[in-house]
Amino acid sequence: MTESHPVRRRRGRGARERILKAATQLFTAQGINATGMDQLSTVAEVSKRTLYAHFPSKDELVGAYLQSLVGDLLPIPPSPTRPTPSPREQLLAVFDRKLPDTTAPFRGCPFLNVSVEVPDPGHPVHQLAAAYKREFAHRLTDLARQAGAADPETLGEQLALLFDGAAARGTALNSSHTRAYARSIAESLIDAALADAGPASLGRGGQPPARSRHHP
C-alpha cells in the first residue's frame, strides 16, 4: 500500500507574504482565471483556512496582488539616498526598468492582463486596474510639466499609450525587446515636446539633451 504524504504547511508569521508571493508567481505565469485557491494554498504552503483568513475572496487577493505592484511600476519619486534625475530622465526611466531574469513567457503589464481577464468595467478588480492606468498617465504628465513640455497632458498620455502598446506587443511576441523601441520613440516625443516649449526647456546651445548611445 502506498503511503500518502500530506502537503507541508508552514506555521508562524509571514503567511500573508507567502500568499502574495505565490499569487504573484502564479498570476504572472498562468493568469488569474487559471489559478485556483487550492493551488495558491499549496504553493504558499498554508492551509485553505489560513488563506481565507487573510483573503476572504479571490477578488480581494487579486486586489492585494495589484496593490503590491504599484510602487514598482509607477514612475519612481526622488529619493534622498540617490541623486535626483532630471524630469526628462525620469520619463525615460519608465522604459528602462530591469525586467526579471526568467525563462518564463513575457507577460507584459499585469494591470493590462487583469483588465483583459476581468472585462467587466464595473468589477472592483477591473476598476483598480483602470485607476492605476489613470494614475500612471497622471504621474507622467506631472513629470512632463516639470520638464517644461509645451503640452504636458498630451505628452503624458502619449507616453502612457506607448508604454502600454509596447507591453501588449511584447506579450503577443513573447519578447521584451519592444521596450527598447518604445524608449527610442519616447525620446523623440519628449525632445519634440520640449523643443515646442522654447529654448528654456532645451539643453545648452538651444539643442535637446544628447541621446543615450546604447538605445536604438
Side-chain angles (χ1 to χ4, degrees), residues 41-62:
S41 74
T42 298
V43 173
E45 298 181 358
V46 298
S47 66
K48 288 282 290 295
R49 179 177 179 180
T50 298
L51 175 58
Y52 281 108
H54 287 281
F55 302 100
S57 70
K58 186 177 179 181
D59 284 347
E60 290 191 41
L61 176 56
V62 174

Side-chain angles (χ1 to χ4, degrees), residues 167-180:
R169 182 170 173 79
T171 301
L173 299 178
N174 187 31
S175 171
S176 62
H177 297 312
T178 54
R179 288 164 57 104

Side-chain angles (χ1 to χ4, degrees), residues 15-25 44 55 61 64-65 68:
R16 178 182 173 85
E17 289 73 18
R18 292 200 306 277
I19 294 168
L20 279 174
K21 182 178 180 181
T24 300
Q25 173 188 336
F55 302 100
L61 176 56
Y65 152 71
S68 72

Side-chain angles (χ1 to χ4, degrees), residues 41 115 138 199 203:
S41 74
S115 65
H138 177 72

Side-chain angles (χ1 to χ4, degrees), residues 59-175:
D59 284 347
E60 290 191 41
L61 176 56
V62 174
Y65 152 71
L66 291 178
Q67 290 286 7
S68 72
L69 300 176
V70 167
D72 290 333
L73 297 178
L74 287 173
I76 303 172
S79 168
T81 62
R82 64 176 182 272
T84 302
S86 69
R88 178 182 181 277
E89 290 170 334
Q90 291 181 65
L91 287 171
L92 290 173
V94 171
F95 299 89
D96 286 337
R97 279 192 176 85
K98 181 175 174 57
L99 297 174
D101 186 13
T102 176
T103 58
F106 181 74
R107 290 284 290 159
C109 174
F111 293 88
L112 289 180
N113 296 339
V114 166
S115 65
V116 171
E117 290 203 69
V118 186
D120 178 6
H123 193 287
V125 167
H126 190 108
Q127 290 181 339
L128 183 60
Y132 165 83
K133 285 301 175 184
R134 285 190 290 269
E135 177 65 16
F136 183 69
H138 177 72
R139 293 203 187 183
L140 292 176
T141 296
D142 280 348
L143 287 171
R145 184 174 293 109
Q146 294 172 37
D151 186 349
E153 288 78 13
T154 295
L155 180 58
E157 287 292 339
Q158 287 174 333
L159 294 177
L161 180 60
L162 181 61
F163 181 91
D164 287 343
R169 182 170 173 79
T171 301
L173 299 178
N174 187 31
S175 171

